[in-house]
Amino acid sequence: RSMTTTVSRSEHPSTIDWSRLLPYSFKGTVVHGFGRGGKQLDCPTANLEEATVADLPSGLIQGVYWGTGRVIREDKKEIDELGFVMSIGFNPHFGNEKKTMEVHFLASLDDFYGSRVEGTIRGFMREMPPFESMDALVAQIRKDKEDATRLVERERNNKM
């Protein structure tokens, strides 16, 4: 699905009409990223192919989001729906020049390069500024994972 909502880079998240943008469903193939997630950040991620990133609605500003999704492996074996936290943007702490979508599932998964990921972004968590240190970034990512776990659980409990 494609949307043409435009949000300026300077627009503050609290002024965005998230109900027009979210939930947003996506599908994409997992590709190799920068190799930082699991090694440096204790947060292994599924980096999605450029075509999936290009399909994002323009209104989804750079930031950290939460949602639910699944991995579909080449053998078509599906993993149950899991919660995730994801970054969308240029990862300003590292000065990336290419916009990425990096999904961290809130469960331990084996290597799944080449698999398909299907997910739904449910909410915006925070903007993505550069951090003063790697330790500060790692601490924030740890908090993001805890917050996303609570949000996913709350949503599941509301559906019951």
Side-chain angles (χ1 to χ4, degrees):
R1 112 183 159 183
S2 91
M3 304 172 121
T4 56
T5 306
T6 302
V7 176
S8 74
R9 284 185 174 249
S10 63
E11 189 159 359
H12 192 272
S14 64
T15 64
I16 297 170
D17 181 3
W18 292 105
S19 66
R20 292 180 52 207
L21 297 170
L22 301 177
Y24 173 77
S25 294
F26 63 89
K27 295 177 185 176
T29 300
V30 179
V31 297
H32 287 275
F34 299 101
R36 294 187 289 247
K39 294 175 186 76
Q40 287 182 291
L41 305 174
D42 188 31
C43 187
T45 59
N47 292 267
L48 299 178
E49 64 189 326
E50 288 183 33
T52 303
V53 178
D55 284 344
L56 285 168
S58 60
L60 283 183
I61 63 170
Q62 175 170 270
V64 176
Y65 294 81
W66 69 277
T68 55
R70 60 179 38 96
V71 175
I72 302 170
R73 298 183 187 273
E74 289 179 7
D75 61 9
K76 303 292 186 214
K77 184 177 179 204
E78 228 176 90
I79 294 175
D80 292 336
E81 186 171 78
L82 301 168
F84 66 73
V85 61
M86 78 181 309
S87 68
I88 295 176
F90 298 90
N91 298 316
H93 186 79
F94 295 102
N96 292 1
E97 293 184 20
K98 187 168 82 173
K99 186 176 184 178
T100 61
M101 283 176 78
E102 299 181 38
V103 181
H104 170 76
F105 285 99
L106 300 168
S108 267
L109 297 174
D110 293 333
D111 177 20
F112 49 87
Y113 288 113
S115 298
R116 301 270 303 155
V117 169
E118 295 181 355
T120 301
I121 302 170
R122 307 258 179 221
F124 177 81
M125 294 174 60
R126 66 173 178 85
E127 293 181 83
M128 199 168 24
F131 286 82
E132 290 181 18
S133 68
M134 186 66 77
D135 288 342
L137 174 59
V138 170
Q140 181 61 57
I141 289 171
R142 190 173 304 121
K143 182 181 181 318
D144 292 340
K145 292 190 287 188
E146 292 167 3
D147 292 346
T149 299
R150 273 195 297 280
L151 289 163
V152 169
E153 288 303 314
R154 185 170 69 197
E155 179 175 274
R156 285 185 178 146
N157 291 335
N158 287 340
K159 287 182 178 179
M160 297 174 122

